[in-house]
Amino acid sequence: MIIGIDLGTTNSLAACFENGQAVVIPNRLGKHLTPSVVSVDDQGTVYVGETAKERGILHPLETASVFKRSMGTDREYVLSGKKFRAEELSSLVLCSLKEDAETYLHQEITEAIISVPAYFNDHQRKATKRAGELAGLTVSRVISEPTAAAIACGMDQHGKDARYLVFDLGGGTFDVSILELIGPIMEVHAIAGDNFIGGEDFTALLANMFLEKAAIAPESLDLRTAGAVYLSAEAAKCAFSQSSEVIMACTIDGQLVEQTITLAAYEKACSPLLEKLRRPIERSLRDAGVKIGDIDQIILIGGATRLPIVRRFVTRLFGRIPASPVDPDEAVALGAALQCAMKERREEIREVILTDVCPFTLGTEVMANNGLFEEGGHYLPIIQRNTTIPVSRTQTVWTAHDNQTRVNVKILQGESRLASNNLLLGELSLPVPPGPKGSEAVDITYTYDVNALLEVDVRVHSTNVRRKVIIQNQQNRLSDEEAAQRMEQLQYLKQNPRDDEENRLQLLRAERLYEEADPSHRQTIDQAIMAFERVLSQQDRTEIERERKALTKLLDTIEFGI
């Protein structure tokens, strides 16, 4: 039997298909949710789940949580002198879920479908698969969380065609997906998200509010006390579902500290976090080419959607009450279990054909004319984000220098117009006959499948020499730590500084809009950026001001339609 697993930031769970339906597998404590927490004592004993969470209160230095945010990086967690990477800690959680499933089903479990945030990049998806393998599982598929949830909710519609917007706010990540169910076909139209916002951030904000009201500096707390404050904040956050104000209490330096926090004050403090959720929603609607009124149903999944402030935010944004046809904490795991049943060709369910999309743009590095000269470091998209997969695209490029003897193809993933700001997945090189610039044509073909397997085929026209690489391992790429830092840091720090703040502002805004824009606008923005940078280099203030106004007007038109 294959089981479906929702490997979450805060909690994880497994589900299976039995007696004609998907069911959640209870853990060894009889609960559905297993906290994604690992603790190791000085004897080497490993604790997972609720026990690890409990132990972490007293032994915070020997306990790790929220490590899903570090998947695909080289970050190491040191627990009792032992070093663990995020996928190794995740494998311990998966081992626990696997053992619980074997106890419940009375059989050995060797295969699973594991869900990941839709916006996980190539490294993060592969790290998730490695975690499963370390736990002794064959990961037959990595499925996007909103897609899994839509399957679970779609099954309840008894074949009724519908267009969904799935709002997935978990403990540490946020995804929004637009999907459409047409007969037996579940088609993903667009996805967007943010891998660094979730329920944990709403808890941390409440903890900071408590400390601020009590006039206590966070850095003055030891790890154990800070953990206790966080747990108190987590309980208070949940209490807001039943009350408009909560009393947070925690013992600090031997004294009981109490503070009353109202829901209104908390909601106001959460405004920046809520605003951070808005942009991926707008991007997904734009990429899918639909309006809010075109959505038949808004589905909330993820434990953080239980927060009243999140539900009110979604209701105000869409002008209607969202739905939760399946338990928000269980929808993903149930959908993954249904996908397992489809893979096993179970007769009890109506098979759904899934069409997913490529979450990030895939491309390569090229030279481009900035209006004055050819400059390197530009990004050439080959497969645009939100392209239905499996997909194959070919782009022809030409030699960039006289007497060039080799072509080096960098395989990149990301949305920045600058190659250096995107994720390097791999690289290959092949010879070309020397000659004048532009005399040799080279075809670059990217083929991307549903398992995030990317094949790159490069062919020289004149000689028919070709090289092929499959991006499925960890060779020939940036380190995971470098990749994670690149995704997290402000990409614009690499830009040359500008003396005038307004010039900096509009350039940064243009770079952001380039990343968010659909393909039809990207070339226009790229040309506008290069033109403005060209004017800046001439240091004519009158001309700079004129061109800045023109750039601002263009960006206003693209962003606001004015």
Side-chain angles (χ1 to χ4, degrees):
M1 176 178 282
I2 311 173
I3 62 172
I5 296 177
D6 176 5
L7 183 61
T9 305
T10 306
N11 294 295
S12 299
L13 63 160
C16 64
F17 189 84
E18 64 173 4
N19 299 323
Q21 63 180 347
V23 295
V24 175
I25 297 171
N27 63 20
R28 61 204 65 189
L29 299 175
K31 298 180 179 180
H32 284 185
L33 302 182
T34 297
S36 301
V37 183
V38 174
S39 186
V40 180
D41 64 21
D42 53 10
Q43 279 80 45
T45 303
V46 177
Y47 305 82
V48 176
E50 201 73 45
T51 54
K53 186 176 180 180
E54 184 69 28
R55 189 173 188 276
I57 299 173
L58 298 178
H59 304 279
L61 289 175
E62 299 175 0
T63 307
S65 61
V66 200
F67 39 80
K68 180 177 176 178
R69 283 183 166 176
S70 298
M71 290 289 275
T73 78
D74 282 333
R75 177 182 175 184
E76 291 183 325
Y77 296 77
V78 181
L79 307 180
S80 296
K82 298 177 177 61
K83 295 181 179 180
F84 300 89
R85 287 169 55 142
E87 57 262 42
E88 294 170 327
L89 293 171
S90 297
S91 74
L92 296 172
V93 175
L94 291 172
C95 274
S96 179
L97 296 175
K98 177 177 180 289
E99 291 171 6
D100 290 336
E102 289 174 337
T103 300
Y104 177 79
L105 296 168
H106 306 290
Q107 60 179 283
E108 184 181 8
I109 301 298
T110 60
E111 187 175 352
I113 291 176
I114 301 178
S115 66
V116 295
Y119 222 54
F120 255 25
N121 65 26
D122 182 75
H123 293 171
Q124 293 165 314
R125 289 170 184 263
K126 287 182 172 60
T128 302
K129 192 169 183 178
R130 285 201 303 274
E133 292 165 353
L134 288 170
L137 292 167
T138 298
V139 183
S140 54
R141 181 168 182 183
V142 174
I143 186 172
S144 294
E145 291 170 2
T147 304
I151 294 172
C153 297
M155 290 296 105
D156 290 343
Q157 299 301 313
H158 303 292
K160 180 182 177 182
D161 293 353
R163 183 179 284 144
Y164 304 96
L165 185 145
V166 181
F167 183 101
D168 178 7
L169 185 63
T173 59
F174 172 58
D175 285 321
V176 56
S177 295
I178 296 175
L179 311 95
E180 189 169 10
L181 180 66
I182 305 175
I185 300 174
M186 178 71 75
E187 182 176 357
V188 181
H189 289 301
I191 61 175
D194 189 329
N195 290 332
F196 296 94
I197 183 173
E200 300 284 346
D201 300 287
F202 287 85
T203 304
L205 186 146
L206 190 53
N208 288 334
M209 287 181 68
F210 168 78
L211 294 174
E212 186 176 342
K213 287 196 71 175
I216 298 172
E219 59 271 17
S220 69
L221 303 179
D222 58 51
L223 284 176
R224 184 181 297 184
T225 305
V229 171
Y230 188 87
L231 288 176
S232 179
E234 190 174 356
K237 182 183 73 173
C238 296
F240 275 131
S241 298
Q242 306 295 329
S243 175
S244 60
E245 68 175 33
V246 297
I247 298 175
M248 282 186 62
C250 195
T251 301
I252 300 176
D253 294 331
Q255 293 186 339
L256 181 64
V257 179
E258 292 186 343
Q259 294 294 329
T260 300
I261 299 176
T262 66
L263 181 58
Y266 180 50
E267 186 167 6
K268 182 178 180 180
C270 287
S271 294
L273 290 176
L274 295 171
E275 191 61 30
K276 199 174 179 183
L277 300 175
R278 183 189 300 270
R279 187 161 291 159
I281 295 171
E282 293 172 344
R283 180 187 295 183
S284 65
L285 289 168
R286 185 168 58 248
D287 284 355
V290 299
K291 299 177 181 179
I292 290 177
D294 298 325
I295 303 297
D296 296 307
Q297 194 171 29
I298 299 151
I299 298 172
L300 299 184
I301 63 169
T305 61
R306 296 183 186 276
L307 287 173
I309 59 172
V310 172
R311 287 181 171 267
R312 279 203 294 272
F313 167 76
V314 176
T315 300
R316 288 196 302 265
L317 185 63
F318 292 98
R320 74 183 93 161
I321 297 174
S324 295
V326 179
D327 187 308
D329 285 313
E330 300 178 358
V332 171
L334 293 173
L338 287 167
Q339 178 65 23
C340 294
M342 294 175 203
K343 186 177 186 297
E344 293 176 320
R345 302 278 184 182
R346 301 289 286 270
E347 295 180 357
E348 301 99 311
I349 68 167
R350 180 173 63 93
E351 185 171 356
V352 173
I353 301 169
L354 290 176
T355 70
D356 214 333
V357 296
C358 182
F360 292 90
T361 298
L362 296 164
T364 191
E365 180 177 349
V366 295
M367 296 187 71
N369 192 315
N370 65 11
L372 295 175
F373 55 85
E374 296 279 341
E375 64 178 9
H378 283 258
Y379 186 45
L380 174 67
I382 295 177
I383 297 177
Q384 297 282 358
R385 71 168 186 254
N386 286 323
T387 298
T388 300
I389 56 176
V391 62
S392 185
R393 294 281 189 272
T394 299
Q395 181 73 49
T396 302
V397 298
W398 288 264
T399 48
H401 307 286
D402 292 335
N403 297 316
Q404 186 173 334
T405 59
R406 298 198 72 80
V407 170
N408 297 309
V409 177
K410 290 185 177 180
I411 304 160
L412 303 171
Q413 179 186 67
E415 308 304 326
S416 176
R417 58 185 284 270
L418 299 179
S420 60
N421 286 336
N422 292 315
L423 201 62
L424 179 64
L425 302 180
E427 195 168 355
L428 55 79
S429 175
L430 69 169
V432 294
K437 178 179 71 173
S439 62
E440 288 294 332
V442 179
D443 282 345
I444 304 175
T445 301
Y446 281 19
T447 303
Y448 191 80
D449 75 359
V450 294
N451 292 309
L453 193 70
L454 173 64
E455 179 186 272
V456 179
D457 190 326
V458 182
R459 181 181 71 88
V460 179
H461 279 207
S462 64
T463 63
N464 209 34
V465 171
R466 65 195 311 160
R467 296 284 187 274
K468 182 185 296 186
V469 64
I470 297 176
I471 307 299
Q472 60 179 348
N473 53 40
Q474 303 304 308
Q475 300 174 357
N476 301 323
R477 62 169 177 81
L478 292 175
S479 73
D480 286 317
E481 183 66 25
E482 291 169 328
Q485 290 175 352
R486 181 157 294 153
M487 296 296 287
E488 293 181 50
Q489 292 172 349
L490 289 175
Q491 297 175 355
Y492 310 108
L493 293 176
K494 297 184 178 181
Q495 298 291 332
N496 292 328
R498 300 290 189 255
D499 294 331
D500 189 271
E501 186 69 17
E502 183 65 16
N503 294 338
R504 283 203 302 269
L505 175 63
Q506 294 307 322
L507 277 174
L508 296 180
R509 183 184 175 208
E511 296 279 4
R512 171 179 63 80
L513 287 176
Y514 179 91
E515 296 188 15
E516 296 177 354
D518 59 54
S520 65
H521 285 133
R522 282 189 162 183
Q523 185 175 2
T524 301
I525 298 172
D526 188 28
Q527 294 296 325
I529 290 173
M530 289 192 292
F532 189 47
E533 289 181 328
R534 190 163 62 246
V535 170
L536 285 174
S537 67
Q538 297 170 1
Q539 301 183 20
D540 184 331
R541 288 194 171 274
T542 302
E543 186 70 4
I544 288 173
E545 185 173 351
R546 186 181 68 82
E547 286 295 326
R548 186 182 66 231
K549 289 180 179 178
L551 176 62
T552 303
K553 184 177 180 181
L554 170 66
L555 300 180
D556 286 343
T557 300
I558 292 173
E559 186 170 19
F560 307 117
I562 58 175

